[in-house]
Amino acid sequence: MQTVNDFNFKDEKVLVRVDFNVPLDADFAITDDSRIAAAVPTLKKILSDGGSCILMSHLGRPKEGPTNKYSLKHIVDRVALLTGAKVLFADDCIGQDAINIAASLNPGEILLLENLRFYKEEEKGDLAFAEKLSKLGTFYVNDAFGTAHRAHASTAVMAQFFNGKKCFGFVMANEIANARKVLDQPARPFTAIVGGAKVSDKLLIIENLMGIADNIIIGGGMAYTFAKAIGGNIGKSLCEDERMPLALQLIEMAKSKGVNLLLPEDSVVADNFANDAHTAIALNNEIADNYMGLDIGPKASALFCDTIRQSKTVLWNGPMGVFEMSSFEAGTKAVAQAVADVAQNGGFSLIGGGDSAAAIHKFNLANQVSYVSTGGGALLEYFEGKELPGVKAVLN
Ligand code: AMP
């Protein structure tokens, strides 16, 4: 896998697909610039070689063409501040103006193109649109892991116009290297923790991990579909009835493959989906009709944490309960601490997916784990065993 470290970019005009989809407040001020900061090492490598950068990104989900709310002009100053470079802006990502500014770009300078998604062609993966973008530069770098699972013009289609002159940025390379550490010959025991609201979102990842992990821990709302499928009373807990046969199949698959599938034995249950609800502890097969499980219980937490602490590799995707509410955060917090302990004891722990990343940040443990992935959907698809279009396009 070639990265920006494998090339010298002197006098190249480098088209870099970045993920600058940053949150903005009502006055268009950036509330979290970590996605811009993450791309800085890649950009600095290109600029310090004597190249220039033409940045392509999306922002939000504009439906009807150019919209002020989704304009990347709001972030120009922050890109300049974080890179220390002169940053020009083209208010149309293709067209004569963009061509002219790109042509006059000096080494060490950056051109930020307007939101790619102002053109429907971007998400459609339109070849002619991709070709127009490609004409702006001489080299293609993909550093947008968050959109690597999308076959869009800028992520998967335009790479074909840069034979031998394309590679990954550091964000992308890091994400893939860390995911591979888990997927290819993980140090054992390897424990995968899968949680979150819905079984349907996580079926494929559980299935794929059956061939790789030693232990698979299931928590969060999805655990109740399993509990009901094996005959338990789960009260008002989340359940996808139509997925119960699949839940049973997964239990059988674990047995036949010798994988230790751990389901929560007990839960923190509540009479209401609210932080001030009346709560109790119940076994997962004996939840009263007017109660719902909103967190794993103490027995489940103890067993899960024990299993995690004995592991050398851990992958965590999805919270153990409604951790956003303090009454139901204990299970997720305990698991987060156990995951952090693995890394502190020399093991490898990868946190993937928006909600587990949010949880690890909430409990101030982000700097105690091995790696927190920035790509929710992309990482999930990678662990489902799928080839990511944004990765494939650069490798081809
Ligand atoms: P996901 O996006 O599928 O990973 O789900 C994350 C969401 O699942 C979080 O917002 C949690 O609050 C929610 N969640 C976790 N456990 C439960 C539960 N037992 N009941 C309802 N929601 C839950």
Coordinates of all heavy atoms in Angstrom, one line a residue, residues 195-198 201-202 219-222 224 237-238 273 292-295 317-324 355-356, ligand 1:
G195 N -22.2 -4.0 20.1 CA -23.4 -3.5 20.8 C -24.2 -2.5 19.9 O -24.0 -2.5 18.7
G196 N -25.0 -1.7 20.6 CA -25.8 -0.7 19.8 C -27.2 -1.2 19.8 O -27.6 -2.2 20.4
A197 N -28.0 -0.4 19.0 CA -29.4 -0.6 19.1 C -30.0 -1.8 18.3 O -30.7 -2.6 18.8 CB -30.1 0.7 18.6
K198 N -29.5 -2.0 17.1 CA -30.2 -2.9 16.2 C -29.3 -4.1 15.8 O -28.2 -3.9 15.4 CB -30.6 -2.2 15.0 CG -31.8 -1.2 15.2 CD -32.0 -0.5 13.9 CE -33.4 -0.2 13.6 NZ -33.6 0.4 12.3
D201 N -28.3 -4.0 11.9 CA -27.1 -3.2 11.5 C -25.8 -4.0 11.7 O -24.8 -3.8 11.1 CB -27.0 -2.0 12.3 CG -28.1 -1.0 12.0 OD1 -28.8 -1.1 11.0 OD2 -28.3 -0.1 12.8
K202 N -25.9 -5.0 12.6 CA -24.6 -5.7 13.0 C -24.5 -7.1 12.6 O -23.5 -7.8 13.0 CB -24.4 -5.5 14.5 CG -24.6 -4.1 15.0 CD -23.4 -3.2 14.8 CE -23.6 -1.7 15.0 NZ -23.5 -1.2 16.3
G219 N -23.9 -6.9 23.4 CA -24.5 -6.1 24.4 C -25.5 -5.1 23.7 O -25.7 -5.1 22.5
G220 N -26.0 -4.1 24.5 CA -26.9 -3.1 24.0 C -28.3 -3.6 23.6 O -28.6 -4.8 24.0
G221 N -29.0 -2.8 22.9 CA -30.4 -3.1 22.6 C -30.5 -4.4 21.8 O -31.5 -5.2 21.9
M222 N -29.5 -4.7 21.0 CA -29.6 -5.9 20.1 C -29.6 -7.2 20.9 O -30.1 -8.2 20.4 CB -28.5 -5.9 19.1 CG -27.1 -5.8 19.7 SD -25.9 -5.5 18.4 CE -25.6 -7.1 17.9
Y224 N -31.5 -8.1 23.2 CA -32.8 -8.6 23.6 C -33.5 -9.4 22.5 O -34.3 -10.2 22.8 CB -33.7 -7.4 24.0 CG -33.0 -6.7 25.2 CD1 -32.3 -5.5 25.0 CD2 -33.0 -7.3 26.5 CE1 -31.6 -4.9 26.1 CE2 -32.3 -6.7 27.5 CZ -31.6 -5.5 27.3 OH -30.9 -5.0 28.3
S237 N -38.4 -4.3 26.1 CA -37.1 -4.0 25.5 C -37.1 -4.0 24.0 O -38.0 -4.6 23.4 CB -36.1 -5.1 25.9 OG -36.1 -5.3 27.3
L238 N -36.1 -3.3 23.4 CA -36.0 -3.3 22.0 C -35.9 -4.7 21.4 O -35.3 -5.6 22.0 CB -34.6 -2.6 21.6 CG -34.5 -1.2 21.3 CD1 -33.2 -0.9 20.7 CD2 -35.6 -0.7 20.3
F273 N -38.3 5.1 29.1 CA -37.0 5.5 28.4 C -36.6 6.9 28.9 O -36.7 7.9 28.1 CB -37.2 5.4 26.9 CG -35.9 5.5 26.1 CD1 -35.1 4.4 25.9 CD2 -35.5 6.7 25.6 CE1 -33.9 4.5 25.2 CE2 -34.3 6.8 24.8 CZ -33.5 5.7 24.7
M292 N -38.1 -2.2 30.5 CA -37.3 -2.4 29.3 C -35.8 -2.4 29.7 O -35.4 -1.7 30.7 CB -37.5 -1.3 28.2 CG -37.2 0.1 28.7 SD -37.6 1.3 27.5 CE -39.2 1.8 28.0
G293 N -35.0 -3.2 29.1 CA -33.6 -3.3 29.4 C -32.8 -2.1 28.7 O -32.9 -2.0 27.5
L294 N -32.2 -1.3 29.5 CA -31.5 -0.2 28.9 C -29.9 -0.2 29.2 O -29.2 0.7 28.7 CB -32.1 1.2 29.4 CG -33.5 1.4 29.0 CD1 -34.0 2.8 29.5 CD2 -33.7 1.4 27.5
D295 N -29.5 -1.2 29.9 CA -28.0 -1.3 30.1 C -27.8 -2.8 30.5 O -28.7 -3.5 31.0 CB -27.5 -0.4 31.2 CG -26.0 -0.3 31.3 OD1 -25.3 -0.8 30.3 OD2 -25.5 0.3 32.3
N317 N -17.3 -2.2 18.9 CA -18.2 -1.5 18.1 C -19.6 -1.5 18.7 O -20.3 -2.5 18.7 CB -18.3 -2.1 16.6 CG -19.2 -1.4 15.7 OD1 -20.4 -1.4 15.9 ND2 -18.7 -0.7 14.7
G318 N -20.0 -0.4 19.2 CA -21.4 -0.2 19.7 C -21.5 -0.3 21.2 O -20.9 -1.2 21.9
P319 N -22.3 0.6 21.9 CA -22.4 0.7 23.3 C -23.2 -0.5 23.9 O -23.9 -1.1 23.2 CB -23.1 2.0 23.6 CG -23.8 2.3 22.3 CD -23.1 1.7 21.2
M320 N -23.0 -0.7 25.2 CA -23.7 -1.7 26.0 C -25.1 -1.4 26.4 O -25.9 -2.2 26.9 CB -22.8 -2.1 27.2 CG -21.5 -2.7 26.9 SD -21.6 -4.3 26.1 CE -21.4 -3.9 24.4
G321 N -25.3 -0.1 26.4 CA -26.7 0.4 26.8 C -26.8 1.9 26.4 O -26.1 2.4 25.5
V322 N -27.8 2.5 26.9 CA -28.1 3.9 26.6 C -27.2 4.8 27.4 O -27.6 5.5 28.3 CB -29.6 4.3 26.8 CG1 -29.9 5.7 26.3 CG2 -30.5 3.2 26.1
F323 N -25.9 4.8 27.0 CA -24.8 5.4 27.8 C -25.0 6.9 27.8 O -24.4 7.6 28.6 CB -23.5 5.0 27.2 CG -23.1 5.7 25.9 CD1 -22.3 6.9 25.9 CD2 -23.7 5.3 24.7 CE1 -22.1 7.5 24.7 CE2 -23.4 5.9 23.5 CZ -22.6 7.1 23.5
E324 N -25.8 7.5 26.9 CA -26.0 8.9 26.8 C -26.7 9.4 28.1 O -26.6 10.6 28.5 CB -26.9 9.3 25.6 CG -26.2 9.0 24.3 CD -26.7 7.7 23.7 OE1 -27.0 6.8 24.5 OE2 -26.6 7.5 22.5
D355 N -20.7 5.6 17.8 CA -21.2 5.6 19.2 C -20.2 5.1 20.2 O -20.1 5.6 21.3 CB -22.5 4.8 19.3 CG -23.6 5.7 19.0 OD1 -23.7 6.8 19.5 OD2 -24.4 5.3 18.1
S356 N -19.4 4.1 19.9 CA -18.3 3.6 20.8 C -17.2 4.7 20.9 O -16.7 4.9 22.0 CB -17.7 2.3 20.4 OG -18.3 1.7 19.3
Ligands
AMP1 P1 -25.9 1.9 17.0 O1 -25.9 3.2 16.3 O2 -26.7 0.8 16.4 O3 -24.5 1.5 17.4 O4 -26.6 2.2 18.4 C1 -26.2 3.1 19.3 C2 -27.4 3.6 20.1 O5 -28.0 2.4 20.7 C3 -27.0 4.5 21.2 O6 -27.5 5.8 21.0 C4 -27.6 3.9 22.5 O7 -28.3 4.8 23.3 C5 -28.6 2.9 21.9 N1 -28.9 1.7 22.8 C6 -27.9 0.9 23.3 N2 -28.5 0.0 24.1 C7 -29.8 0.2 24.1 C8 -31.0 -0.4 24.7 N3 -30.8 -1.4 25.5 N4 -32.2 0.1 24.4 C9 -32.3 1.2 23.5 N5 -31.3 1.8 22.9 C10 -30.1 1.3 23.2

